Amino acid sequence: MQTKVNKLKPSGFVQTSTGGKFGATAPIRSTPTKPDYNRTGYKKDFSKNQQRKVFADYISEEEAAAGCEDKSMFTAVLRINPKNYQECFVDHPKGTDYPDVLVLGFDRNRAMQGDIVTVKIKDREEYIVNYPEYVKWWELNKTTERKSRRMDNNSNKSEKRCLRNEMEDNGVGKDEVPDSCLIMVGAVVRINAEKHFRVAAGKLQLMPNSANPNVLFIACDSRIPRILIPKTEVDNEFLTRPKDFEKFLYTAKISGWRPESVYADGHLVKLLGMSGEIEAETERIVYENQIDHREFTDECLESLPITSAEDWKIPQEEFDYRRDFRNEIVFTIDPKTARDLDDALHANHIDDCDGKGTPGLEIGVHIADVSFFLKEGTELDRWAAERGNSTYLSQIVIPMLPRILCEQLCSLNPGVDRLAFSTVFKMTYEAELKDVWFGRSIIRSRVKLAYEHAQDFIENQEKDFTAEELPDISDGCTPFEIKEKTLMLHRVAQILRKNRENNGALRIEQPRLKFALDEEKRPQGVSVYEYKDSNKLIEEFMLLANMEVAKKIESSFPDHALLRNHPPPKEKMMADVAKQCDQIGFPLDGMTSGLLSTSLQKYQGNSRLAMCIRMVISSLTIRPMQRANYFCTFGKELGFYHHYALNVDRYTHFTSPIRRYPDVIVHRQLAAALDYCPDSDRDGKEIQEICNHCNDTKLASKEASESSAALYFGVFIHQTGKMMCRAVVLGVMDLSFDVLVVEYGIVKRVYVDDMDRIFDTSMKNLTLKWPADPNAETGNKDAFSTIIEMCSVITVILTPVKDVDVCATMVRPTLEQREVLKCPLKDMLAHGSTILDA
């Protein structure tokens, strides 16, 4: 008889005779029945009717509504500091020209990252002192010396004092200190919507009290509370040999969180594997970011009109009404490893672009017609809507649609007929748009170019490329024709980009790691992804198509069109960033997207120094930026539609329906606007709910992708060993400082708590004292000090630590490194230094 394998039990252990769902034991005999123990592990006090509560009870919906009405409360999305779970933030109820409201310690009241909560504003005495502004105010208005001996207990950050401390220590009046010197503090009193799934990855640990009927689950994400798991769910060996399980990762789901417990209650869901292994860590990332990675069910696939991609042909009736572009030289430009090809282009010279005989160009943007296969209301449509988008990790893609669609029937693969939804532009040679045509179409791509091929065309315009240098080209098309079409598109894209920038469009560069993987999907090399002219070519035409489609669907369905907006940055934070940039020698104007874009353009260039300066400025300017979001026009004012970064009044997503569900809805709305089909029965409220969900899934996928890159970088460092790198200081604290590792564009925190150091709060710098070293180079053996401030250039060592983590450490500087430290970035720029390129 074959033994049933327990998928939730670590391999290498024998199934216990009393094994349950997780190879668990029967109730532990040593667990006492009297006196009784509760889930927190504390002995019940039967002399009292109720335990002492750690958290406040939630208020009712009616009480929350009344509090919001009288302005003593407000609704917001909770954000938890990943480096300090006791510190949370919500947007200020008065708008973005005020700093975020702080929620500290137990005032978080069991809410999780991303939850929509009702926050009660605390008394002004509890507000946190904005230390730099407060010190300035004190110096201008007070003659006595300020005492600052007591720190507030609700945060572990230095100089985080509440106004009450200042009232007691320095005798200031409650209403004497101006609002600009204080940060509002609130407390969560109700969770309106649990946006977090309450699922986490982590490890198991025994409770200190062996009689406790639970074990402790410690999530890898510090924002997740510790979770009590019944002993009946864990393996018997864990209770006797817990060290054997130290590296195993599990997932757990929170089932409840009682107000009298600092721990949440929950149960185990799945065994992921050994921590430190890529597969287990990848699955941890997926679970932590709540990504749905289940296989599509048979019921989903049954809703498709086909069962095999090889057997499917375009129905004859589609040829009767679609525009046929198969005689055009259509081609795709994508990442080399892409398998889901959403978009293709064609370009032609035409004799009349405006109906007046003006010669110009016809440029077609052809997008996969996913809505032909994905019918509204089917089981597959529900799955796609739930997933919201595809998720791209370093080594795998979790697709929004089944692979038969995203890699075969919908993908605009070369040499085969494909259904498309096209946007065709007629424009002058100066890229002045004269006409736009929308419609369903049939295309036949000639070649699948990678960005590298297109870039090669752009950089070597006089070269005669051979067929051997390019991917397979179909239908008798030549490399020369493909090159000429690419260059035609490139020239127009350059003009379009320049026009957008002149009109106030903004793009903040964010470094992205690119990995070279072996056959086992393990990293063999890493570099920063370069955003080149070939990328910009595609981006310009996708932006143009999205903007024109947005105008069309909004004019046709003004009460329920699906658009995408981008709110302006938080004013107070942006003003602070502008001030900070001015202090470090890189002034910028953040009043509008156009002025900010103009400021950033001053630091363009291909040198390592220019790239580093852009990275530093980008890391600062990205902080006050708000996220772009999908929304439904129902009930919205026109001013709400504006897209800050693009500086346009209408924008949507139309160009990637294979990997984004909002694009599918936009395709359906465009089809209805062109009278291909009736409009959907979904009303504005339902579309807005879909938008809200897709905003959440898009953010989760972005965070998962970033976590995956960090994981693979960690694996790479563990394989290669310690690595010495140049780094630029981004921010200074009293016990640490953040650095940007120049070569890889990653940010790491360097801790100095075991060193002799002096933190100057007013100057925002840290003096590190290095002891004498008889083994150091000549002239560097004696003790010395170095000053660490923003934009200092230092040398760090990236070191592999537990599992796949990487830490950055500043080592005792050599004489050369000490000289570099004396020259911050602004001085390097002024003197044309090539230190960073060395």
Side-chain angles (χ1 to χ4, degrees):
M1 182 176 176
Q2 189 174 4
T3 305
K4 186 177 179 180
V5 177
N6 183 355
K7 295 181 180 179
L8 300 166
K9 175 185 173 67
S11 59
F13 291 89
V14 180
Q15 178 74 32
T16 57
S17 59
T18 56
K21 181 180 178 183
F22 285 81
T25 63
I28 306 303
R29 292 181 182 178
S30 60
T31 302
T33 54
K34 290 184 182 181
D36 196 10
Y37 283 77
N38 64 19
R39 294 289 296 271
T40 62
Y42 295 105
K43 194 173 178 179
K44 281 186 179 177
D45 186 350
F46 293 102
S47 64
K48 298 180 180 178
N49 294 325
Q50 187 175 354
Q51 287 179 281
R52 182 173 176 233
K53 291 183 177 177
V54 178
F55 301 102
D57 289 328
Y58 296 132
I59 64 174
S60 67
E61 184 177 357
E62 292 74 22
E63 290 173 305
C68 292
E69 181 70 24
D70 66 22
K71 307 298 183 185
S72 64
M73 303 178 190
F74 62 96
T75 300
V77 176
L78 188 75
R79 310 189 309 275
I80 304 172
N81 184 346
K83 292 185 171 73
N84 178 12
Y85 67 89
Q86 294 192 27
E87 185 176 72
C88 309
F89 306 91
V90 292
D91 290 345
H92 198 287
K94 291 185 178 180
T96 61
D97 53 347
Y98 291 84
D100 288 338
V101 177
L102 278 172
V103 177
L104 301 169
F106 291 119
D107 286 336
R108 170 181 161 185
N109 202 1
R110 297 164 286 165
M112 305 282 278
Q113 172 74 12
D115 284 355
I116 300 174
V117 296
T118 297
V119 177
K120 182 177 181 180
I121 301 171
K122 301 194 81 169
D123 188 85
R124 202 166 193 269
E125 292 182 5
E126 300 297 317
Y127 287 14
I128 296 298
V129 173
N130 184 345
Y131 187 72
E133 296 299 321
Y134 180 74
V135 170
K136 292 177 186 176
W137 172 81
W138 183 277
E139 291 174 349
L140 289 173
N141 295 275
K142 300 290 184 178
T143 57
T144 58
E145 184 178 351
R146 174 179 167 267
K147 302 174 185 177
S148 58
R149 60 179 178 273
R150 187 191 310 169
M151 299 300 168
D152 202 75
N153 293 326
N154 57 12
S155 174
N156 60 10
K157 289 192 175 182
S158 65
E159 289 296 347
K160 190 172 284 293
R161 297 163 55 85
C162 66
L163 179 57
R164 184 183 63 252
N165 298 147
E166 286 297 315
M167 293 166 62
E168 295 172 353
D169 288 351
N170 293 296
V172 297
K174 179 178 177 181
D175 299 317
E176 180 185 4
V177 180
D179 290 343
S180 61
C181 296
L182 299 173
I183 300 173
M184 183 184 287
V185 176
V188 173
V189 292
R190 177 179 172 80
I191 299 176
N192 302 333
E194 291 186 349
K195 305 297 279 189
H196 194 282
F197 285 179
R198 271 64 178 169
V199 175
K203 299 180 181 181
L204 296 176
Q205 180 178 299
L206 289 175
M207 297 289 284
N209 180 3
S210 62
N212 193 295
N214 307 293
V215 297
L216 203 58
F217 178 89
I218 302 174
C220 300
D221 184 346
S222 65
R223 296 171 296 182
I224 306 294
R226 298 191 173 190
I227 305 170
L228 294 170
I229 305 294
K231 282 181 177 176
T232 53
E233 289 192 11
V234 302
D235 207 274
N236 187 39
E237 284 89 345
F238 172 75
L239 302 175
T240 56
R241 298 174 58 87
K243 286 190 174 296
D244 293 344
F245 289 73
E246 283 181 348
K247 280 188 169 289
F248 285 105
L249 283 173
Y250 294 85
T251 54
K253 183 174 180 62
I254 294 175
S255 56
W257 194 350
R258 293 163 291 106
E260 60 271 11
S261 174
V262 294
Y263 300 144
D265 299 318
H267 58 85
L268 292 181
V269 176
K270 187 177 182 179
L271 170 68
L272 301 181
M274 297 276 283
S275 64
E277 294 182 349
I278 293 182
E279 295 76 16
E281 293 290 344
T282 297
E283 200 163 0
R284 170 184 65 79
I285 289 168
V286 168
Y287 270 97
E288 284 182 351
N289 291 281
Q290 308 168 64
I291 307 295
D292 183 357
H293 63 305
R294 296 171 295 165
E295 291 296 325
F296 293 92
T297 63
D298 292 339
E299 189 177 355
C300 283
L301 300 177
E302 287 168 2
S303 65
L304 292 171
I306 45 48
T307 56
S308 170
E310 291 74 19
D311 299 335
W312 186 80
K313 302 292 182 184
I314 295 177
Q316 184 56 45
E317 57 268 23
E318 296 301 313
F319 290 89
D320 297 338
Y321 75 97
R322 290 177 181 262
R323 186 169 169 179
D324 195 340
F325 288 96
R326 288 179 295 169
N327 290 328
E328 299 289 350
I329 299 179
V330 177
F331 56 95
T332 61
I333 304 176
D334 286 281
K336 191 172 289 186
T337 57
R339 299 167 69 179
D340 48 354
L341 311 182
D342 284 295
D343 54 86
L345 298 167
H346 88 262
N348 286 323
H349 296 282
I350 55 176
D351 296 329
D352 185 2
C353 69
D354 60 358
K356 299 177 182 179
T358 304
L361 297 167
E362 176 189 271
I363 296 176
V365 177
H366 308 283
I367 307 301
D369 191 359
V370 173
S371 60
F372 174 83
F373 300 95
L374 187 62
K375 301 300 183 184
E376 186 174 309
T378 62
E379 182 65 16
L380 181 56
D381 186 50
R382 285 189 284 273
W383 270 62
E386 184 63 28
R387 289 197 170 183
N389 50 261
S390 297
T391 300
Y392 292 81
L393 305 180
S394 296
Q395 84 290 21
I396 59 170
V397 177
I398 301 173
M400 182 183 79
L401 298 173
R403 298 190 185 278
I404 190 175
L405 290 186
C406 64
E407 295 180 7
Q408 298 180 62
L409 294 178
C410 291
S411 184
L412 305 181
N413 299 326
V416 292
D417 294 349
R418 285 290 179 257
L419 299 177
F421 218 139
S422 300
T423 307
V424 180
F425 307 108
K426 290 183 178 180
M427 59 179 65
T428 67
Y429 286 111
E430 292 74 37
E432 184 181 354
L433 189 60
K434 294 296 183 180
D435 183 65
V436 184
W437 177 87
F438 306 102
R440 285 178 168 164
S441 60
I442 298 174
I443 68 167
R444 187 179 180 90
S445 173
R446 297 298 191 267
V447 62
K448 174 191 173 184
L449 292 181
Y451 284 119
E452 290 83 353
H453 300 124
Q455 190 65 31
D456 209 1
F457 291 154
I458 293 168
E459 294 177 359
N460 302 281
Q461 298 188 16
E462 303 303 321
K463 179 181 175 180
D464 291 328
F465 288 83
T466 64
E468 288 73 25
E469 295 176 273
L470 301 175
D472 293 338
I473 304 175
S474 68
D475 296 86
C477 191
T478 67
F480 176 80
E481 290 174 305
I482 298 297
K483 184 189 78 169
E484 287 304 301
K485 298 293 184 182
T486 302
L487 294 178
M488 190 186 305
L489 291 166
H490 168 60
R491 294 183 192 110
V492 176
Q494 285 181 305
I495 300 173
L496 289 172
R497 189 177 189 85
K498 183 178 180 181
N499 290 342
R500 284 197 310 106
E501 290 174 347
N502 290 340
N503 290 329
L506 167 70
R507 188 178 194 277
I508 297 178
E509 295 182 28
Q510 288 292 286
R512 182 158 59 96
L513 291 177
K514 181 175 68 172
F515 296 93
L517 305 179
D518 60 18
E519 293 181 356
E520 297 180 349
K521 300 293 185 182
R522 294 184 176 272
Q524 299 302 301
V526 60
S527 61
V528 176
Y529 187 86
E530 292 187 70
Y531 188 75
K532 296 186 176 182
D533 285 335
S534 55
N535 304 84
K536 297 173 185 177
L537 183 161
I538 293 298
E539 181 185 43
E540 288 307 317
F541 293 110
M542 297 307 109
L543 289 173
L544 184 59
N546 286 336
M547 288 186 280
E548 293 302 318
V549 169
K551 296 175 187 176
K552 179 66 177 178
I553 63 173
E554 193 273 333
S555 64
S556 299
F557 308 113
D559 61 339
H560 63 275
L562 190 155
L563 301 182
R564 184 168 175 82
N565 76 343
H566 183 209
K570 296 180 178 181
E571 296 176 34
K572 176 66 168 59
M573 289 182 68
M574 180 55 78
D576 292 342
V577 165
K579 184 177 179 181
Q580 192 173 18
C581 286
D582 191 55
Q583 290 171 344
I584 62 176
F586 304 117
L588 58 83
D589 190 336
M591 291 297 292
T592 67
S593 59
L595 291 172
L596 182 56
S597 179
T598 301
S599 299
L600 294 174
Q601 286 175 26
K602 292 185 294 186
Y603 309 108
Q604 294 300 311
N606 296 323
S607 69
R608 181 65 66 87
L609 176 59
M611 182 190 74
C612 190
I613 291 172
R614 291 199 303 275
M615 284 184 181
V616 170
I617 298 175
S618 295
S619 70
L620 295 174
T621 53
I622 203 70
R623 294 174 189 172
M625 292 295 168
Q626 302 193 74
R627 296 200 313 266
N629 287 304
Y630 301 110
F631 72 96
C632 178
T633 54
F634 176 75
K636 304 290 192 307
E637 298 291 334
L638 291 178
F640 185 82
Y641 298 3
H642 188 258
H643 196 290
Y644 171 82
L646 296 174
N647 197 27
V648 295
D649 293 329
R650 307 285 189 284
Y651 189 69
T652 194
H653 272 170
F654 163 76
T655 53
S656 294
I658 288 177
R659 58 187 178 90
R660 295 188 305 228
Y661 188 73
D663 299 52
V664 176
I665 294 182
V666 169
H667 274 233
R668 291 169 181 166
Q669 291 186 342
L670 182 59
L674 299 172
D675 294 325
Y676 286 124
C677 61
D679 190 18
S680 169
D681 291 332
R682 285 171 169 163
D683 59 18
K685 182 178 179 181
E686 186 175 358
I687 293 174
Q688 184 59 57
E689 289 175 353
I690 292 172
C691 289
N692 294 341
H693 177 70
C694 290
N695 290 331
D696 293 338
T697 60
K698 189 173 181 64
L699 176 62
S701 292
K702 177 178 179 292
E703 291 179 346
S705 180
E706 291 170 351
S707 297
S708 175
L711 163 65
Y712 266 67
F713 185 76
V715 172
F716 177 73
I717 296 297
H718 275 253
Q719 290 177 170
T720 59
K722 293 181 179 181
M723 187 177 294
M724 189 172 292
C725 305
R726 295 277 196 196
V728 178
V729 177
L730 294 180
V732 181
M733 287 69 73
D734 59 341
L735 297 175
S736 61
F737 53 93
D738 290 333
V739 298
L740 173 72
V741 180
V742 176
E743 187 173 353
Y744 299 110
I746 62 170
V747 176
K748 302 298 290 185
R749 180 157 289 183
V750 178
Y751 291 95
V752 294
D753 50 335
D754 59 344
M755 292 182 64
D756 191 5
R757 76 272 184 284
I758 301 171
F759 180 54
D760 187 331
T761 305
S762 59
M763 298 296 292
K764 296 289 183 66
N765 64 31
L766 190 64
T767 300
L768 302 182
K769 297 183 178 181
W770 302 93
D773 183 359
N775 298 317
E777 62 196 310
T778 302
N780 195 35
K781 298 179 184 295
D782 296 336
F784 63 92
S785 297
T786 56
I787 296 178
I788 304 296
E789 59 188 348
M790 192 166 179
C791 286
S792 294
V793 179
I794 67 170
T795 301
V796 298
I797 291 183
L798 300 178
T799 306
V801 289
K802 63 175 184 176
D803 296 336
V804 289
D805 291 339
V806 175
C807 75
T809 307
M810 182 180 177
V811 294
R812 189 179 191 274
T814 63
L815 283 174
E816 179 189 359
Q817 291 165 0
R818 287 169 63 178
E819 288 302 311
V820 173
L821 258 170
K822 297 176 184 178
C823 186
L825 284 183
K826 65 178 180 180
D827 294 337
M828 291 185 186
L829 182 65
H831 298 112
S833 173
T834 58
I835 289 174
L836 291 177
D837 294 308

